[in-house]
Amino acid sequence: MTQTPASADPVHWKVVIDANDPHAQAGFWAAALRYEVEDNSALIERLLGFGALPEEATVEFRGRRAFRDLIAVRHPEDPFEEESGTGLGRRLLFQRVPEAKTVKNRLHLDLHPGEGRRDEEVARLEGLGASVLRRVEEQGGEWVVMADPEGNEFCVQ
């Protein structure tokens, strides 16, 4: 039996990516997507002041306090909570995990830089630390499969 939701509003979501170094991944993907790294420092300072967060759960990142084990990037035009710095729109959240990536992604991002800009974008992404895994030319189109600095695959259309 299907229940009717109380509201027909879309569900808010974010993509969560496991990482060995979430801050390095956030830096890479913020630059790759031209997103902004979220600034949660005001929230962190409040939590520290209340004793709700231990000091060792934080690090300094880009001159401000950040959570040690997670950090997000958000689209610069999307809304965000002023008090926490948390984005309310398009976001990628990087969370620290102990194990390294070992198999192909089950989910990946496709980047669309615009008509005729693929090679320029691939070169820019390589400059940020990505690597080209292979170039694909099929009947349905052409794209470049790349890996971010931790080996997560993504495509540039």
Side-chain angles (χ1 to χ4, degrees):
M1 183 166 109
T2 305
Q3 292 183 341
T4 304
S7 169
D9 291 341
V11 174
H12 178 76
W13 59 271
K14 64 185 165 284
V15 175
V16 179
I17 301 170
D18 291 349
N20 286 323
D21 185 343
H23 300 88
Q25 286 292 89
F28 170 80
W29 282 103
L33 298 174
R34 295 179 175 93
Y35 272 34
E36 294 179 1
V37 175
E38 289 183 355
D39 180 0
N40 304 122
S41 59
L43 171 63
I44 292 168
E45 293 298 340
R46 274 197 314 279
L47 293 172
L48 287 167
F50 294 144
L53 182 70
E55 185 76 32
E56 58 272 9
T58 70
V59 295
E60 185 168 315
F61 180 68
R62 296 185 175 176
R64 58 187 185 227
R65 200 177 299 258
F67 291 107
R68 185 181 83 81
D69 294 328
L70 58 94
I71 190 164
V73 300
R74 65 175 178 80
H75 191 284
E77 295 173 4
D78 286 352
F80 64 96
E81 291 179 348
E82 293 282 338
E83 289 182 8
S84 69
T86 301
L88 301 172
R90 295 162 279 188
R91 303 173 69 217
L92 299 176
L93 174 72
F94 300 92
Q95 67 180 5
R96 185 180 312 279
V97 296
E99 67 277 353
K101 180 184 175 300
T102 58
V103 298
K104 184 182 182 309
N105 300 11
R106 294 292 302 253
L107 173 90
H108 70 267
L109 301 179
D110 280 356
L111 308 185
H112 298 265
E115 186 70 33
R117 296 188 50 219
R118 181 186 314 117
D119 291 341
E120 171 188 333
E121 187 67 3
V122 166
R124 185 180 79 84
L125 294 165
E126 285 180 304
L128 294 173
S131 57
V132 172
L133 299 178
R134 66 185 173 282
R135 295 180 183 276
V136 179
E137 294 182 28
E138 293 182 355
Q139 189 173 6
E142 298 179 17
W143 61 91
V144 178
V145 180
M146 300 188 76
D148 73 13
E150 287 197 5
N152 299 300
E153 297 91 2
F154 65 97
C155 296
V156 181
Q157 300 292 319

